[in-house]
Amino acid sequence: MTLLKKLQWSFGLLLFFFVLPVIAGQLPFNKQASTPIKEPEDKQVVFAATNLPEQSVLEQTKEQTQEKTQVQTKDPFKVLLLFTHSQESYQPMVKAVSGKAAYYDEKTNIYNLKDTISKHFSKNGIQTDILDVDVMKELKLKGKSFPDSYNFVRPYLAKRLQEQSYDLVIDLHRDSAKRDATTLTHNNESYARIAIVIGAEHKNYRWNTAYAESLSAAMNEIVPKISRGVISKSGDNVDGRYNQDLTKEMILIELGGIDNTEEELNRSIAVIGKAIAKSFITEKQD
């Protein structure tokens, strides 16, 4: 065999082994093995994007936006004020207006403090609604007497509570006690002291008491001894419920007494607003 034939034979042999796998891949019995495997169409490819600075900033911004939205969408703390004894008055205030000494007055009375109370409450993030009924005026028009007050205002209050919900309901009164019992001095300023009354003859008694004790403690943290405490009433010659059976969030506040001045009342109203925020609003947001 010549050298040329040997080279031709060797080249042919190499070509045969090179072409053979290609031919074999086209044969029917090996078709499945030669078909590429496709990834499922719904398979997601996850990249480690959270390790990138840009992604971290984006996630932080989203979280901050969500937190701000949650804060903005929180319902405000809502308080309903009513004045069952609407014409209870303070002698110094009546005397300054009319020159007479009176404990009840049609014009200068606790009911007229509603705007002042609303302003102080608003400063503490409290939304205030007023049950706008001059109860004692309506009693006189209908020929009813002072002891009928709670029963008279009850349907008005019940209707409002059916229409709207409140975080706290306060029935505001003026105590009949004299100045030495209803006044204190703190940091060279005088305040009208506050008592909270709870009727003990109804199903909500323990709930109402818990609200009252929490508020009383908060007020005393702001101005020591401004609260005279929580007074439970039951038995003969008292109402025993004060309409507090209508909602567990209801309390009765005695704001000062017959001898307290407007300045003393204003300071104490400010304390009540701060105490509500301290005792209930912070707790609600948490």
mmCIF file of all heavy atoms in Angstrom, residues 124-143:
data_model
loop_
_atom_site.group_PDB
_atom_site.id
_atom_site.type_symbol
_atom_site.label_atom_id
_atom_site.label_comp_id
_atom_site.label_asym_id
_atom_site.label_seq_id
_atom_site.Cartn_x
_atom_site.Cartn_y
_atom_site.Cartn_z
ATOM 1 N N ASN A 124 -55.502 67.973 71.672
ATOM 2 C CA ASN A 124 -54.955 66.676 72.079
ATOM 3 C C ASN A 124 -55.379 65.537 71.146
ATOM 4 O O ASN A 124 -55.330 64.361 71.514
ATOM 5 C CB ASN A 124 -55.400 66.366 73.510
ATOM 6 C CG ASN A 124 -54.739 67.283 74.523
ATOM 7 O OD1 ASN A 124 -53.597 67.091 74.916
ATOM 8 N ND2 ASN A 124 -55.464 68.317 74.954
ATOM 9 N N GLY A 125 -55.808 65.916 69.938
ATOM 10 C CA GLY A 125 -56.153 64.900 68.939
ATOM 11 C C GLY A 125 -57.489 64.232 69.176
ATOM 12 O O GLY A 125 -57.716 63.118 68.696
ATOM 13 N N ILE A 126 -58.385 64.901 69.879
ATOM 14 C CA ILE A 126 -59.687 64.325 70.209
ATOM 15 C C ILE A 126 -60.769 65.001 69.370
ATOM 16 O O ILE A 126 -60.883 66.222 69.345
ATOM 17 C CB ILE A 126 -60.018 64.520 71.705
ATOM 18 C CG1 ILE A 126 -58.923 63.890 72.574
ATOM 19 C CG2 ILE A 126 -61.384 63.946 72.053
ATOM 20 C CD1 ILE A 126 -58.976 64.336 74.024
ATOM 21 N N GLN A 127 -61.554 64.190 68.683
ATOM 22 C CA GLN A 127 -62.696 64.723 67.939
ATOM 23 C C GLN A 127 -63.903 64.744 68.876
ATOM 24 O O GLN A 127 -64.268 63.725 69.453
ATOM 25 C CB GLN A 127 -63.008 63.846 66.722
ATOM 26 C CG GLN A 127 -64.222 64.314 65.931
ATOM 27 C CD GLN A 127 -64.504 63.420 64.741
ATOM 28 O OE1 GLN A 127 -63.596 63.055 64.000
ATOM 29 N NE2 GLN A 127 -65.766 63.055 64.561
ATOM 30 N N THR A 128 -64.516 65.907 69.036
ATOM 31 C CA THR A 128 -65.589 66.075 70.017
ATOM 32 C C THR A 128 -66.918 66.350 69.342
ATOM 33 O O THR A 128 -67.041 67.251 68.515
ATOM 34 C CB THR A 128 -65.261 67.234 70.982
ATOM 35 O OG1 THR A 128 -63.958 67.035 71.531
ATOM 36 C CG2 THR A 128 -66.270 67.293 72.105
ATOM 37 N N ASP A 129 -67.915 65.558 69.706
ATOM 38 C CA ASP A 129 -69.296 65.803 69.290
ATOM 39 C C ASP A 129 -70.095 66.223 70.518
ATOM 40 O O ASP A 129 -69.799 65.799 71.640
ATOM 41 C CB ASP A 129 -69.920 64.549 68.679
ATOM 42 C CG ASP A 129 -69.379 64.255 67.287
ATOM 43 O OD1 ASP A 129 -68.595 65.075 66.767
ATOM 44 O OD2 ASP A 129 -69.721 63.194 66.732
ATOM 45 N N ILE A 130 -71.109 67.024 70.281
ATOM 46 C CA ILE A 130 -71.952 67.520 71.374
ATOM 47 C C ILE A 130 -73.380 66.995 71.192
ATOM 48 O O ILE A 130 -73.941 67.078 70.095
ATOM 49 C CB ILE A 130 -71.995 69.060 71.408
ATOM 50 C CG1 ILE A 130 -70.580 69.658 71.374
ATOM 51 C CG2 ILE A 130 -72.784 69.546 72.617
ATOM 52 C CD1 ILE A 130 -69.750 69.353 72.587
ATOM 53 N N LEU A 131 -73.937 66.422 72.247
ATOM 54 C CA LEU A 131 -75.366 66.117 72.237
ATOM 55 C C LEU A 131 -76.069 67.433 72.533
ATOM 56 O O LEU A 131 -76.200 67.837 73.691
ATOM 57 C CB LEU A 131 -75.694 65.055 73.291
ATOM 58 C CG LEU A 131 -77.100 64.461 73.223
ATOM 59 C CD1 LEU A 131 -77.293 63.673 71.928
ATOM 60 C CD2 LEU A 131 -77.388 63.577 74.419
ATOM 61 N N ASP A 132 -76.482 68.101 71.482
ATOM 62 C CA ASP A 132 -76.891 69.508 71.574
ATOM 63 C C ASP A 132 -78.339 69.628 72.063
ATOM 64 O O ASP A 132 -79.254 69.986 71.303
ATOM 65 C CB ASP A 132 -76.719 70.165 70.207
ATOM 66 C CG ASP A 132 -76.602 71.677 70.317
ATOM 67 O OD1 ASP A 132 -76.490 72.176 71.451
ATOM 68 O OD2 ASP A 132 -76.636 72.349 69.270
ATOM 69 N N VAL A 133 -78.518 69.322 73.346
ATOM 70 C CA VAL A 133 -79.843 69.427 73.965
ATOM 71 C C VAL A 133 -79.696 70.174 75.290
ATOM 72 O O VAL A 133 -78.973 69.722 76.181
ATOM 73 C CB VAL A 133 -80.456 68.036 74.236
ATOM 74 C CG1 VAL A 133 -81.859 68.192 74.820
ATOM 75 C CG2 VAL A 133 -80.483 67.191 72.971
ATOM 76 N N ASP A 134 -80.364 71.301 75.408
ATOM 77 C CA ASP A 134 -80.398 72.020 76.679
ATOM 78 C C ASP A 134 -81.480 71.350 77.530
ATOM 79 O O ASP A 134 -82.656 71.737 77.511
ATOM 80 C CB ASP A 134 -80.719 73.501 76.434
ATOM 81 C CG ASP A 134 -80.556 74.340 77.692
ATOM 82 O OD1 ASP A 134 -80.617 73.770 78.804
ATOM 83 O OD2 ASP A 134 -80.379 75.565 77.561
ATOM 84 N N VAL A 135 -81.074 70.329 78.276
ATOM 85 C CA VAL A 135 -82.019 69.453 78.960
ATOM 86 C C VAL A 135 -82.914 70.228 79.927
ATOM 87 O O VAL A 135 -84.145 70.068 79.933
ATOM 88 C CB VAL A 135 -81.272 68.328 79.711
ATOM 89 C CG1 VAL A 135 -82.258 67.442 80.468
ATOM 90 C CG2 VAL A 135 -80.459 67.494 78.735
ATOM 91 N N MET A 136 -82.311 71.066 80.760
ATOM 92 C CA MET A 136 -83.097 71.775 81.768
ATOM 93 C C MET A 136 -84.074 72.773 81.150
ATOM 94 O O MET A 136 -85.172 73.007 81.673
ATOM 95 C CB MET A 136 -82.161 72.450 82.768
ATOM 96 C CG MET A 136 -81.360 71.441 83.586
ATOM 97 S SD MET A 136 -80.290 72.186 84.860
ATOM 98 C CE MET A 136 -81.531 72.778 86.026
ATOM 99 N N LYS A 137 -83.696 73.350 80.028
ATOM 100 C CA LYS A 137 -84.622 74.242 79.312
ATOM 101 C C LYS A 137 -85.820 73.455 78.799
ATOM 102 O O LYS A 137 -86.978 73.884 78.925
ATOM 103 C CB LYS A 137 -83.892 74.925 78.153
ATOM 104 C CG LYS A 137 -84.776 75.820 77.303
ATOM 105 C CD LYS A 137 -83.990 76.439 76.155
ATOM 106 C CE LYS A 137 -84.887 77.301 75.285
ATOM 107 N NZ LYS A 137 -84.134 77.897 74.144
ATOM 108 N N GLU A 138 -85.546 72.270 78.221
ATOM 109 C CA GLU A 138 -86.617 71.433 77.683
ATOM 110 C C GLU A 138 -87.509 70.895 78.791
ATOM 111 O O GLU A 138 -88.729 70.745 78.602
ATOM 112 C CB GLU A 138 -86.017 70.285 76.872
ATOM 113 C CG GLU A 138 -85.292 70.723 75.608
ATOM 114 C CD GLU A 138 -86.221 71.437 74.640
ATOM 115 O OE1 GLU A 138 -87.392 71.012 74.505
ATOM 116 O OE2 GLU A 138 -85.794 72.431 74.027
ATOM 117 N N LEU A 139 -86.934 70.595 79.942
ATOM 118 C CA LEU A 139 -87.734 70.123 81.076
ATOM 119 C C LEU A 139 -88.766 71.168 81.475
ATOM 120 O O LEU A 139 -89.940 70.858 81.734
ATOM 121 C CB LEU A 139 -86.832 69.804 82.271
ATOM 122 C CG LEU A 139 -85.992 68.527 82.206
ATOM 123 C CD1 LEU A 139 -85.065 68.448 83.421
ATOM 124 C CD2 LEU A 139 -86.876 67.285 82.158
ATOM 125 N N LYS A 140 -88.324 72.422 81.537
ATOM 126 C CA LYS A 140 -89.232 73.509 81.920
ATOM 127 C C LYS A 140 -90.346 73.675 80.887
ATOM 128 O O LYS A 140 -91.516 73.883 81.230
ATOM 129 C CB LYS A 140 -88.458 74.815 82.059
ATOM 130 C CG LYS A 140 -87.497 74.832 83.231
ATOM 131 C CD LYS A 140 -86.671 76.107 83.255
ATOM 132 C CE LYS A 140 -85.632 76.082 84.367
ATOM 133 N NZ LYS A 140 -84.775 77.304 84.352
ATOM 134 N N LEU A 141 -89.980 73.588 79.605
ATOM 135 C CA LEU A 141 -90.974 73.745 78.548
ATOM 136 C C LEU A 141 -92.028 72.644 78.583
ATOM 137 O O LEU A 141 -93.196 72.873 78.239
ATOM 138 C CB LEU A 141 -90.280 73.749 77.179
ATOM 139 C CG LEU A 141 -89.407 74.969 76.853
ATOM 140 C CD1 LEU A 141 -88.666 74.762 75.543
ATOM 141 C CD2 LEU A 141 -90.266 76.241 76.787
ATOM 142 N N LYS A 142 -91.631 71.462 79.039
ATOM 143 C CA LYS A 142 -92.545 70.321 79.063
ATOM 144 C C LYS A 142 -93.138 70.077 80.443
ATOM 145 O O LYS A 142 -93.795 69.053 80.682
ATOM 146 C CB LYS A 142 -91.814 69.072 78.561
ATOM 147 C CG LYS A 142 -91.468 69.173 77.071
ATOM 148 C CD LYS A 142 -90.659 67.990 76.605
ATOM 149 C CE LYS A 142 -90.496 68.008 75.085
ATOM 150 N NZ LYS A 142 -89.914 69.247 74.569
ATOM 151 N N GLY A 143 -92.867 70.988 81.354
ATOM 152 C CA GLY A 143 -93.475 70.884 82.664
ATOM 153 C C GLY A 143 -92.922 69.771 83.525
ATOM 154 O O GLY A 143 -93.610 69.285 84.438
#
